[in-house]
Amino acid sequence: MEQKGTLSVCENNTVIYLEEGAAINGNIRAEGCENLTICGWGRVCMEQYTYEMRKDYARSVDIINCRNVVIDGIIIDDSNDWSMRINGCDNVNIKNVKIFGCRGNSDGIDICGSRNVTVSDIFTRVWDDSFVVKALGTGNAENIVFKNSVLWNDFARPIEVGVELRADSVKNIRFENIDILHSTTGYPLMGIHHGDHARVSDITF
């Protein structure tokens, strides 16, 4: 199975299952829904979309203002921008995801202004940050755990809180049992890079 373009989700109680060998040549975008599951062993790939097409094809998986989200098992390949953004969401579980990105700004997973998020058993090889917590004006970033993962960075920082922290607070963020295989550009392997007004507290590496 192969699908091209953007797969848009706005209905509650939606399951997207990508069987092994299946591919979405484009991206997945969900907004304002509850009880969303994206799972399986297929790929979300942007290799057919050039940098100039970023207006419509930027992030491979973009989840906005959703509740009760599970993302399990998929492969994200060659994103035009951040590979996965979780923005303004509550109660999210991301696990067993593999991410490969070679373009500028191809972050791994960016948790932005979201709450009660667990990210576990992830592999990244990306050309920017791997695990990031930000706040983009969609509420506080709180109660976020990244764990049991393996990261390979060809540029930027494997683990970061920041730069954009546009919220009242960013707190209770934990990074645990993470192996960094490669990061050679001289950037810090992990850190807080504060570029706005949030009160930052209870960050554990």
Side-chain angles (χ1 to χ4, degrees):
M1 188 275 287
E2 179 177 289
Q3 175 175 322
K4 296 187 68 172
T6 298
L7 178 57
S8 297
V9 180
C10 58
E11 295 183 0
N12 296 340
N13 307 311
T14 297
V15 176
I16 299 170
Y17 176 71
L18 298 176
E19 65 182 10
E20 186 172 1
I24 294 176
N25 284 299
N27 54 0
I28 298 172
R29 189 178 191 275
E31 185 168 6
C33 56
E34 297 187 7
N35 306 323
L36 168 67
T37 299
I38 302 170
C39 62
W41 306 107
R43 294 193 309 150
V44 181
C45 181
M46 280 198 187
E47 63 187 1
Q48 298 181 13
Y49 300 88
T50 65
Y51 182 84
E52 290 73 22
M53 301 170 75
R54 289 177 74 195
K55 179 180 180 295
D56 297 311
Y57 297 99
R59 303 171 191 94
S60 292
V61 177
D62 204 7
I63 312 298
I64 305 163
N65 297 329
C66 295
R67 292 177 54 84
N68 305 327
V69 177
V70 174
I71 301 174
D72 184 3
I74 65 171
I75 299 167
I76 298 175
D77 190 15
D78 202 17
S79 187
N80 230 342
D81 201 283
W82 301 349
S83 299
M84 183 188 300
R85 180 177 72 163
I86 306 297
N87 192 24
C89 297
D90 291 274
N91 303 324
V92 179
N93 186 4
I94 303 164
K95 57 187 177 180
N96 303 316
V97 173
K98 280 72 66 180
I99 299 174
F100 303 90
C102 62
R103 310 190 203 195
N105 291 115
S106 62
D107 288 12
I109 298 175
D110 290 66
I111 308 300
C112 305
S114 296
R115 294 145 295 278
N116 305 314
V117 180
T118 300
V119 179
S120 65
D121 301 285
I122 308 297
F123 176 80
T124 70
R125 181 170 182 176
V126 295
W127 188 259
D128 213 301
D129 309 312
S130 280
F131 286 165
V132 192
V133 175
K134 298 179 183 288
L136 304 177
T138 56
N140 296 334
E142 299 176 349
N143 307 325
I144 300 167
V145 178
F146 297 85
K147 62 182 181 179
N148 304 338
S149 296
V150 178
L151 312 180
W152 178 302
N153 277 70
D154 289 305
F155 190 71
R157 300 164 180 83
I159 296 171
E160 179 173 52
V161 176
V163 173
E164 302 93 329
L165 297 178
R166 299 193 292 273
D168 291 331
S169 70
V170 173
K171 66 180 182 180
N172 195 22
I173 314 297
R174 184 175 184 87
F175 302 88
E176 63 178 59
N177 192 32
I178 296 171
D179 293 329
I180 299 172
L181 299 184
H182 184 274
S183 183
T184 61
T185 57
Y187 283 106
L189 297 181
M190 59 192 77
I192 301 168
H193 193 182
H194 201 319
D196 219 286
H197 67 274
R199 179 182 175 88
V200 178
S201 62
D202 300 307
I203 311 297
T204 303
F205 298 101

